[in-house]
C-alpha cells in the first residue's frame, strides 16, 4: 500500500530548523523529498485518509527508499498514534551516502516512547509519519555514530508477507 509517493513537498510540515525540498527520485519520471535535519527537529506528513484505521493491521511493516546527502549513516522514523504526541514509536534505519537504498522496517523493530502494549495494538491509530534526527533517541543507535544530517526519501509504503525469524529467547537471569 503506497502511503506517500514523495513526488512533491505538499503537505509536509517542518519543525525547528528542518527543511523539506524537492529532490531527484530513485525512479525515472517521479520526484522525492529532501529532508535536512541538521538542527534537530523533524518533518512530518499526515497519513492519507484512505490508509488510516484497520488497514495498517493487515501489513507487517513499512518500506521506503532513502539516500544520504550529508552527515553520517543513520536516520529515524516515528509513527504518531496519540493526539497528545505523548505516545509514539520510532525506529532507526541505515543510510548510504549518495546511493538509493530500500529500507524495510517490521513493526517489531519500532520502540515506543511510552510503552502501551505491543505496537500492533496501535496501528489502527497511526495518523502521522515523521522523519527525524535520531540524536533525540541516541540509545537506539551506535553511540559512536552521529545521526544523519540530510537525506532524500521516496516511495513510502506499507508491506506485507515479511518472513521474520522468531525473536530468540535470552538465557540466564537478567538481574545479574
Amino acid at each position: 500500500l503506497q502511503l506517500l509517493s514523495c513526488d512533491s513537498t505538499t503537505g509536509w510540515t517542518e519543525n525547528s530548523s528542518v527543511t523539506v525540498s524537492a529532490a531527484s527520485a530513485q525512479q525515472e519520471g517521479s520526484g522525492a523529498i529532501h529532508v535536512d535535519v541538521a538542527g534537530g527537529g523533524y518533518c512530518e506528513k499526515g497519513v492519507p485518509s484512505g490508509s488510516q484505521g484497520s488497514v495498517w493491521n493487515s501489513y507487517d511493516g513499512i518500506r521506503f527508499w532513502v539516500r544520504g546527502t550529508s552527515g553520517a549513516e543513520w536516520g529515524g522514523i516515528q509513527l504518531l498514534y496519540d493526539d497528545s504526541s505523548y505516545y509514539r514509536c520510532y525506529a532507526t534505519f541505515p543510510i548510504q551516502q549518495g546511493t538509493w537504498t530500500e529500507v524495510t522496517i517490521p513493526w517489531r523493530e519500532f520502540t515506543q516512547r511510552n510503552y502501551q502494549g505491543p505496537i500492533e495494538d496501535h496501528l489502527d491509530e497511526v495518523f502521522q509519519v515523521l522523519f527525524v534526527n535520531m540524536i533525540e533517541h541516541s540509545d537506539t543507535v551506535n553511540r559512536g555514530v552521529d545521526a544523519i544530517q540530510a537525506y532524500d526519501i521516496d516511495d513510502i509504503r506499507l508491506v506485507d508477507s515479511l518472513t521474520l525469524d522468531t525473536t530468540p529467547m535470552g538465557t540466564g537471569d537478567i538481574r545479574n
Side-chain angles (χ1 to χ4, degrees):
L1 173 67
Q2 185 175 43
L3 286 181
L4 304 165
S5 66
C6 300
D7 286 347
S8 78
T9 60
T10 304
W12 286 91
T13 303
E14 302 164 346
N15 173 274
S16 190
S17 59
V18 172
T19 58
V20 176
S21 56
S24 59
Q26 59 88 21
Q27 298 179 27
E28 282 294 316
S30 62
I33 62 164
H34 175 75
V35 178
D36 187 339
V37 290
Y42 58 85
C43 71
E44 62 188 2
K45 173 92 171 170
V47 173
S49 59
S51 63
Q52 291 174 317
S54 60
V55 171
W56 284 58
N57 287 323
S58 19
Y59 292 91
D60 299 324
I62 194 165
R63 181 177 285 160
F64 52 91
W65 288 90
V66 65
R67 171 180 60 189
T69 58
S70 127
E73 303 92 20
W74 293 98
I77 183 172
Q78 290 186 8
L79 304 176
L80 268 59
Y81 56 89
D82 179 83
D83 287 335
S84 70
S85 296
Y86 187 71
Y87 296 103
R88 61 179 68 195
C89 61
Y90 53 91
T92 57
F93 53 88
I95 298 177
Q96 293 185 22
Q97 295 299 314
T99 303
W100 281 105
T101 304
E102 192 172 37
V103 173
T104 301
I105 308 173
W107 300 137
R108 76 177 187 189
E109 297 298 321
F110 280 83
T111 302
Q112 291 182 56
R113 181 174 177 187
N114 294 295
Y115 187 74
Q116 268 193 317
I119 186 58
E120 291 83 359
D121 292 349
H122 302 286
L123 291 174
D124 60 346
E125 303 167 43
V126 173
F127 66 91
Q128 215 147 30
V129 175
L130 285 73
F131 285 91
V132 299
N133 181 323
M134 287 310 293
I135 290 173
E136 65 180 288
H137 300 297
S138 59
D139 58 323
T140 64
V141 297
N142 179 337
R143 290 183 185 274
V145 176
D146 292 329
I148 196 76
Q149 299 300 306
Y151 51 92
D152 299 336
I153 304 164
D154 197 8
D155 195 19
I156 305 167
R157 59 213 184 275
L158 300 180
V159 290
D160 58 4
S161 303
L162 295 179
T163 55
L164 302 171
D165 293 334
T166 304
T167 302
M169 297 300 291
T171 58
D173 187 342
I174 62 171
R175 295 172 288 180
N176 292 333

